[in-house]
Each structure stands twice: as structure tokens, then as C-alpha cells.
Amino acid sequence: MSETTHDGGVAVTASPSTPSPDDGLSRAELAAKYGLTVSGARPGLFEYVRQLWGRRHFILAFSQAKLTAQYSQAKLGQLWQVATPLLNAAVYFFIFGLLLGAREGIPHEIYVPFLVTGVFVFTFTQSSVMAGVRAISGNLGLVRALHFPRASLPISFALQQLQQLLFSMIVLVVIMCAFGIFPAVSWLLVLPALVLQFVFNMGLALIFARMGSKTPDLAQLMPFVMRTWMYASGVMFSIPAMLATKKDVPAWVGDVLQWNPASIYMDLIRFAMIDKYDSSYLPPHVWAFAVGWAVVIGAVGFVYFWKAEERYGRG
């Protein structure tokens, strides 16, 4: 519409606009009407598993790249993968084996294989947890730049530690042979034990990845927690032999130490590889508990991490 003003100009007045069909709709109703979804929304659990399977090549490649880059600045390179736990084992042998008498109850000729096996196997769990704590907080650039299932990161870090353990197992075989312990059919039991430990470690890595994403300072606390766990897991001594000499230890303390998952996985691999480490060192139903720890922690860790999928990398 227009009309002539008193000075000869033309004034234009707006005509009533046509009401929009979207007027009065809430944001949720608008999104539903036009098929819009929240960017980075958490998918359903089974869809999430399907997405992870679709990223399996990325998970493997990422773990291999991290493993290669881990010691790229060191002159000895990948040798540190086995040199570090071996040096730790040498220190523990001197302090616990020689000075503190931790060899009590263990035949002296198998104490070194016993100790090295414990160090390698516990380091697998320790490194998986420590890497998991930093999996999200230490890779925020990747998390914010790309859309992918965030569980790929802690899983790939656990897989990286498994690959590192496999390198260490080569050295462990050499040590076993040097002490007169040669490959046998029982060594095949190492495979299911490592698979169960990997699932357990992956669950722990997922749990601590979510916790570490909101509390980065957790990475500073975890070394103390892991060191305490190591001393309570029988890495340097036999838990049954120790309990046999400590009559004043409450029964529940002995149960906690023996059913400790780190101790269970160490003992299974020791039992498989060391002839003189017989079943008397193992708690009853040890395989059932090994499976139970892996299934429970693996499932709980996966669901716990998935629940916060859409919050990683925000704020």
C-alpha cells in the first residue's frame, strides 16, 4: 500500500504479512517436522557397536601409529618397549628378592621367570589404565575436529598396550629358556588368559577415559593408585606363600588379595608357562573368576563410557 503525503512524497506502508506455518512450534517440533537431529548425539547402544566395528581399521592403525611414535625420539627406539619392564624387574629382584626375602615359598630357580612374568603382565594393565585416563583429554583436537565413536580412542590405546606386551613376550620366552623352562602345550593357555585380560583392561580404560575427560588431574593421581595395586597383587611375591606365614592376617584380606583381577591374570600366565608353578598357587575356580572380571568390567566400562558419548570434547 502507498499514499501521497502533504509534501508530495510517497509513503509506503507494510501490508500484513502472511502467517508462517511454523509459527508457534517449539524447537523440538521444528526438528521433528524437518527431520533434523542433534549434531554429535549419542546413538543407541547397538548402533554404537556397529559404528565401532566400522572404525576397526582406524582403531588398529591408530594403535600402531601410537606404538611407533612412542619411542621415536629415543636412540634405542622400540627396544625400550622391553627394556623398561626388564629394568623394573631387575630393581624389584634386588630389593624384594634379595633384600626383603620375597622369594619365600617360591623355588629359587624359577623366581626370576616368576618376577619378570608378573612385571610384564601387570605393566599391560597399568599402561592400559594410564593411557585410558588421557585418551580423551589428551586428544581434544581430534575429538573436536572429527566425528567418530569416541570409544575408539581408549580401545585403541588398550590395543596398543597389547601389541607392546606381545613384543615383551618374545623376551620373556628367551628368559624362560635361559632358566631351563621350555615351550610346552600348556603355553597355549596364555592366549585365552591374554584375551580375557585385554577385555578387562579395555573396560578399565573406558571407565577412566570418561573420568579423565572431566577431571584431567586424575592422571596425576593414578600413578600412586597403580603402584599400590601393584604391591597388593603379588608381582614380586607369592600371595599364598605370604598368607601362609602371616597367621594374623584376616581371612577377608587374603580373599581380596587372591581374587584381585591383576593377580588372577598374572597367576594364570605363570601357571601356563612355568612348570614348577603348579595349581597349588592358584585360588579355586580361577578361570571362572578370570572370565567374570573380564565380562563384568568390559561390559560396565563400555556402557559407562557410551552414556557420556555426546559430552566428550565439549566445555
Side-chain angles (χ1 to χ4, degrees), residues 17-18 22 26 45 49 65 71 84 163 186 218 269 301 313 315:
S17 59
T18 304
D22 294 338
S26 67
L45 185 58
V49 173
Y71 301 104
T84 300
Q163 295 175 70
S186 63
L218 188 62
I269 295 177

Side-chain angles (χ1 to χ4, degrees), residues 99-302:
L99 298 183
L100 299 181
R103 292 183 291 177
E104 185 176 353
I106 305 172
H108 287 191
E109 64 271 19
I110 69 167
Y111 182 72
V112 171
F114 170 93
L115 176 62
V116 175
T117 302
V119 171
F120 281 2
V121 175
F122 185 83
T123 299
F124 177 29
T125 295
Q126 181 182 42
S127 301
S128 297
V129 172
M130 294 302 301
V133 172
R134 301 182 179 90
I136 301 297
S137 60
N139 294 277
L140 286 178
L142 183 62
V143 170
R144 291 169 176 169
L146 300 176
H147 177 68
F148 63 96
R150 308 314 190 199
S152 302
L153 293 176
I155 292 174
S156 67
F157 281 117
L159 185 59
Q160 173 194 347
Q161 301 308 320
L162 175 61
Q163 295 175 70
Q164 184 160 333
L165 175 65
L166 294 179
F167 282 112
S168 301
M169 294 298 285
I170 298 174
V171 177
L172 180 58
V173 170
V174 174
I175 293 174
M176 292 286 182
C177 293
F179 282 83
I181 303 171
F182 300 101
V185 175
S186 63
W187 285 29
L188 295 176
L189 293 174
V190 170
L191 297 177
L194 286 182
V195 169
L196 292 174
Q197 188 184 8
F198 170 72
V199 175
F200 173 80
N201 291 353
M202 182 181 66
L204 281 184
L206 289 163
I207 291 171
F208 283 100
R210 175 175 171 178
M211 296 171 65
S213 68
K214 285 298 182 182
T215 313
D217 287 349
L218 188 62
Q220 308 304 319
L221 176 64
M222 288 310 297
F224 302 99
V225 175
M226 298 306 299
R227 193 174 302 121
T228 302
W229 191 12
M230 179 186 68
Y231 291 146
S233 298
V235 174
M236 292 78 67
F237 58 89
S238 168
I239 292 176
M242 183 272 293
L243 293 175
T245 61
K246 305 292 183 181
K247 302 300 183 180
D248 56 340
V249 175
W252 67 268
V253 173
D255 292 339
V256 169
L257 293 177
Q258 287 196 292
W259 299 120
N260 166 12
S263 176
I264 285 176
Y265 295 124
M266 278 190 294
D267 280 345
L268 284 178
I269 295 177
R270 285 165 171 164
F271 171 71
M273 299 188 72
I274 304 174
D275 295 336
K276 294 184 179 180
Y277 195 80
D278 55 44
S279 58
S280 64
Y281 292 96
L282 301 178
H285 311 296
V286 63
W287 279 103
F289 275 84
V291 173
W293 277 117
V295 171
V296 171
I297 298 300
V300 169
F302 186 80

Side-chain angles (χ1 to χ4, degrees), residues 70-81 83:
Q70 185 173 359
Y71 301 104
S72 60
Q73 301 301 317
K75 291 184 178 181
L76 295 181
Q78 302 298 313
L79 288 177
W80 283 111
Q81 294 181 23

Side-chain angles (χ1 to χ4, degrees), residues 22 24-38:
D22 294 338
L25 296 179
S26 67
R27 292 181 179 180
E29 292 170 336
L30 285 171
K33 179 178 179 180
Y34 293 102
L36 302 178
T37 58
V38 178

